[in-house]
Each structure stands twice: as C-alpha cells, then as structure tokens.
Amino acid sequence: MSKQTQAPEDTGPAGPRPTRLTVAAALAGAEGAALAVFGAYLLVMGLLGSPESPTQAETGGLTLLALAALPLAAARGLLLRRRWSRGPALITQIMAVPVAWTLISTGGVLIAVGAALGAVALAVLALLVNPTATEALGIAPRDA
C-alpha cells in the first residue's frame, strides 16, 4: 500500500489574530445571524401563519436564509484568517450600506434598524481595509 499525501490546509498566516479582525468577524457573524433569524421567521410565518401573501413570505424567507450564508461564511473565514474571506465580507458590507439607507428613508422604527446596520457596515469596512487586518490575512500591500 502506498501512502497518499494530502495537500496542506490553508491555515492562514502565523501569529495571533488582531483584535480588529476578531471584531470584524463578530460583526459580520451578527449580521448573518440576524438575516438567518429573520429569514426563518418569514419562512415559518409563510408556512404556518396567515400572511397576506404566503408565497411572498416563503420566498423572502428562503432568500434571506440564502443571503445569510455569505456573511456567516465570511465571518468564519475571518476568524480562521483565510485570505479569501475578506472579499465576501467587503461585498456584504457594501451591499448593506444602500439597504441601511433605504431603511432610514422609510421612517418609523426602521430608522433605528437602518442606522444600526449602516454603522455596523461602515465599521466592518473600516476594520477590513486596515493594514493590520490585511497583513493578518496574508494580503500584501501593492508596490507603487
């Protein structure tokens, strides 16, 4: 029998994980968890409740559950210091900014939700473009 050689797993750069990266991962994970909870709520209400449009509630719930996968995967990747995770995390935050603006523009209680979402999105963006975070993910700066 011959031994099979496995490719080494992408373990990320050595050294401790910066606090900025941990905070960014926690915030991205919280966004993903919030999407998953609201998506599950919509799906259950569409299936068991009596919304105006059960099909719309079910579709919205499934869509939010699918969208929750991106920030959750990015958060896990950031915690594990995988360089690929920065892209999905940045994309998620860039998509969150117009959603936050729409919620703020709607009025009522959604103003607070939109303001919180906007603040989190901008904070994660700032944390992820920081040189400390990029170096911790093994992303070298470009030469001029």
Side-chain angles (χ1 to χ4, degrees), residues 21-37 63-79 84-96 117 120-121 124 128:
L21 200 56
T22 304
V23 171
L27 291 173
E31 287 175 330
L35 281 170
V37 166
T63 301
L64 288 179
L65 285 172
L67 287 174
L70 186 62
L72 290 172
R76 184 173 187 278
L78 290 172
L79 281 176
W84 62 261
S85 62
R86 184 172 177 249
L90 288 172
I91 290 168
T92 301
Q93 304 318 310
I94 291 169
M95 290 184 335
L117 176 61
V120 167
V124 174
L128 289 177

Side-chain angles (χ1 to χ4, degrees), residues 3-102:
K3 292 183 178 181
Q4 289 183 332
T5 308
Q6 293 183 352
E9 187 177 323
D10 178 23
T11 57
R17 180 178 54 242
T19 303
R20 291 179 174 148
L21 200 56
T22 304
V23 171
L27 291 173
E31 287 175 330
L35 281 170
V37 166
F38 190 57
Y41 171 78
L42 282 178
L43 185 60
V44 168
M45 291 310 295
L47 294 171
L48 305 175
S50 56
E52 285 184 31
S53 173
T55 304
Q56 187 175 9
E58 293 162 8
T59 303
L62 288 172
T63 301
L64 288 179
L65 285 172
L67 287 174
L70 186 62
L72 290 172
R76 184 173 187 278
L78 290 172
L79 281 176
L80 297 174
R81 296 176 64 184
R82 305 290 196 257
R83 76 182 313 164
W84 62 261
S85 62
R86 184 172 177 249
L90 288 172
I91 290 168
T92 301
Q93 304 318 310
I94 291 169
M95 290 184 335
V97 171
V99 171
W101 180 256
T102 302

Side-chain angles (χ1 to χ4, degrees), residues 100-114:
W101 180 256
T102 302
L103 292 172
I104 291 170
S105 301
T106 302
V109 73
L110 294 179
I111 292 174
V113 174

